[in-house]
Amino acid sequence: MTAPHDTIVAVATAAGEGGLAIVRLSGPGALAVARRLAGERALPRRDVPSHLARAATLRAPADGEVLDRGLVLPMLAPRSYTGEDVVELHCHGGVLCARRVVRACLDAGARPAGPGEFTRRAFLNGRLSLDQAEAVADLIHAEDELAGRAALRQLSGGLRREVGAIEGPLLELLARLEGGLEFEGEDAAAAAVPRDRLLAVLDAALAALAALLADADAARRVREGVHVVLLGAPNAGKSSLFNALLAQERALVDAEPGTTRDVVAARLRHGGVVFVLHDTAGLRPDGGRVESLGMARAREAAAAADVVLLLSDLADLTNPGEGDVPADAGVTVLRVATKADLADAARRAAAREAGLVVTSARDGTGLDELRAALLEAADGGRLREVADLGHVFNERHRHRLAAAREELAALRGEVALRDAPAEVAAGLLAGILAELGEVTGRVFSEHLLGEVFARFCVGK
């Protein structure tokens, strides 16, 4: 795998005011381009010291105008992020200095880098596997400790090692099957892979894939957060509880029923877990056209939730939303009684005995209990375990692993029912290995790389 033979440039730091901006060059001409700006004292033509920063005055190649004073840091191939010659030009922060330095690099022969092109080159040059490259983007976008820790573990190769452990025996088996096809007669019989050996390898791979895919839901919750939908009748106190959990006035609250017409989402961090709270329109049998649209969205949100908070006013514990909670075993339902400050002690006690979490958004009653119930429903310990394993994979990984498991199960069925011809088994096994190879990038296409690196920012 080799990257294109041209030199790219981009600002590698976030835009805006700051003390420092870094302009990154990568490619075979990185040293030559940087030398035209920084001069030969910073970058001598012979024996350039790698990974040693030097002070330099950066000048425009065309007329020698001073652009900035900063540092020049060369990192020579292959000991660089991309595996190519890389030069970082450290200049003053803000928009102007970095923009002028980039323009000078373009004048000196570089071209603008595309989104994620530095990391793409790191992959093409064998510095990162494809899942590790994706972990770079996950780390950049991480908003909490759990997601950041998971991305770092995956960047260290957790998923790659697990997939490699599955691929190894399958690749060996494929080699034996294909090798046996070269023989005839008694030699072919001697070279054939025994059925029990074939079944043992397939069973081990199926078990390993099942173990990985068992983490899929927890992995999604680590990456996206735990989706919690507040569901209930109009004026059940959904928006008030939503605001109280967030400790900010995020949703509009009014005594008039039907105030919330759309789904309002916000993130809550508690116990090391991110919860994505969704306030929804109140559910009732009748309503206007716009309110009905809001109720439809509320039901859609509940169907996609990890946890549903089914809210009832303590004055009336009936809930028209009860039948709208999906029966999916993956959805946890917590029944919550609201407006405890308006109810007497007997009614509050009766609600608790019935298994409801009794709350008041006004005086804070039950909020700590509800947060604890959310943490238990999210299985925070399991999320931390999955994050520490470094097996956190995205929807692309999950789809490929699931497809490989399905095809492996089909092949195992063929072998178990009858002696599948070696050429058939080899063909099916090659397809399975292609599915697995797309997870780590052992097998890839330009289309796949385009999809993966489209979510990267320019400069990474």
Side-chain angles (χ1 to χ4, degrees):
M1 297 186 294
T2 57
H5 296 291
D6 55 0
T7 300
I8 55 176
V9 64
V11 180
T13 45
E17 295 183 1
L20 179 70
I22 298 175
V23 175
R24 177 184 285 164
L25 288 154
S26 181
L31 290 170
V33 170
R35 189 178 293 119
R36 292 191 63 186
L37 274 71
E40 293 194 28
R41 287 190 61 184
L43 292 168
R45 292 186 178 274
R46 294 177 179 236
D47 301 323
V48 174
S50 184
H51 294 76
L52 177 65
R54 291 188 175 184
T57 299
L58 303 178
R59 300 178 182 273
D63 55 14
E65 178 189 358
V66 175
L67 304 173
D68 199 4
R69 282 193 57 82
L71 296 175
V72 179
L73 175 60
M75 290 168 276
L76 304 184
R79 293 191 307 119
S80 71
Y81 179 69
T82 64
E84 305 172 322
D85 284 345
V86 170
V87 181
E88 289 184 354
L89 305 174
H90 295 211
C91 54
H92 288 93
V95 176
L96 179 62
C97 290
R99 185 170 61 198
R100 296 178 74 196
V101 170
V102 167
R103 188 182 302 126
C105 290
L106 296 176
D107 292 342
R111 70 162 175 82
E117 191 166 1
F118 291 99
T119 304
R120 181 178 180 134
R121 291 188 175 202
F123 164 70
L124 291 172
N125 287 320
R127 299 289 289 173
L128 297 171
S129 61
L130 194 56
D131 59 295
Q132 287 178 301
E134 289 169 295
V136 171
D138 288 341
L139 187 58
I140 292 170
H141 295 136
E143 297 181 16
D144 62 275
E145 290 291 333
L146 196 63
R149 192 163 78 218
L152 280 172
R153 297 292 193 278
Q154 189 172 324
L155 184 56
S156 69
L159 180 59
R160 180 184 61 179
R161 284 190 293 273
E162 291 296 320
V163 174
I166 297 170
E167 286 181 314
L170 295 178
L171 285 166
E172 181 182 344
L173 183 60
L174 178 61
R176 289 192 61 184
L177 287 170
E178 291 180 334
L181 295 174
E182 298 177 4
F183 297 94
E184 295 181 359
E186 293 182 3
D187 290 336
V193 180
R195 179 193 281 189
D196 58 348
R197 169 61 181 160
L198 187 53
L199 288 173
V201 173
L202 297 180
D203 285 341
L206 281 168
L209 281 171
L212 268 180
L213 287 166
D215 293 340
D217 188 56
R220 176 190 57 77
R221 285 180 277 150
V222 168
R223 287 170 55 85
E224 298 179 5
V226 179
H227 290 271
V228 179
V229 172
L230 284 73
L231 206 64
N235 272 1
K238 297 183 297 301
S239 297
S240 296
L241 185 61
F242 180 83
N243 289 340
L245 287 170
L246 295 170
Q248 60 175 295
E249 296 298 314
R250 180 68 176 78
L252 181 64
V253 176
D254 193 85
E256 180 182 338
T259 304
T260 302
R261 297 296 182 89
D262 206 346
V263 177
V264 180
R267 299 173 83 81
L268 168 70
R269 291 172 178 82
H270 176 65
V273 177
V274 172
F275 297 91
V276 185
L277 304 183
H278 300 265
D279 184 23
T280 64
L283 300 176
R284 58 180 172 179
D286 53 357
R289 186 179 62 85
V290 175
E291 192 176 351
S292 295
L293 291 173
M295 288 189 281
R297 292 189 178 184
R299 293 183 177 100
E300 288 174 6
D306 299 305
V307 181
V308 169
L309 299 185
L310 192 58
L311 272 62
S312 303
D313 186 334
L314 256 177
D316 179 9
L317 291 180
T318 61
N319 196 321
E322 195 113 29
D324 295 291
V325 178
D328 189 329
V331 179
T332 300
V333 178
L334 297 176
R335 295 192 64 203
V336 180
T338 60
K339 306 181 184 181
D341 56 295
L342 301 178
D344 57 31
R347 185 170 285 274
R348 292 196 297 267
R352 290 191 180 97
E353 287 178 11
L356 279 73
V357 181
V358 176
T359 66
S360 168
R362 178 171 293 176
D363 63 20
T365 297
L367 293 185
D368 287 342
E369 182 185 350
L370 180 56
R371 291 188 188 99
L374 281 172
L375 200 57
E376 183 179 353
D379 198 358
R382 176 63 176 151
L383 300 191
R384 285 186 284 275
E385 178 186 341
V386 169
D388 284 337
L389 286 172
H391 301 169
V392 176
F393 42 85
N394 56 34
E395 184 61 20
R396 185 185 75 81
H397 301 157
R398 189 202 65 76
H399 184 69
R400 296 270 73 83
L401 292 171
R405 182 179 63 176
E406 186 177 332
E407 292 173 23
L408 262 174
L411 174 56
R412 203 253 183 229
E414 283 287 318
V415 173
L417 287 173
R418 57 183 176 276
D419 282 324
E423 60 269 23
V424 172
L428 292 172
L429 197 53
I432 292 163
L433 284 163
E435 296 280 6
L436 292 173
E438 285 197 10
V439 175
T440 60
R442 183 179 56 80
V443 176
F444 69 92
S445 64
E446 282 301 312
H447 177 72
L448 173 60
L449 297 189
E451 284 186 345
V452 168
F453 291 104
R455 62 187 290 252
F456 278 68
C457 57
V458 173
K460 195 56 183 171

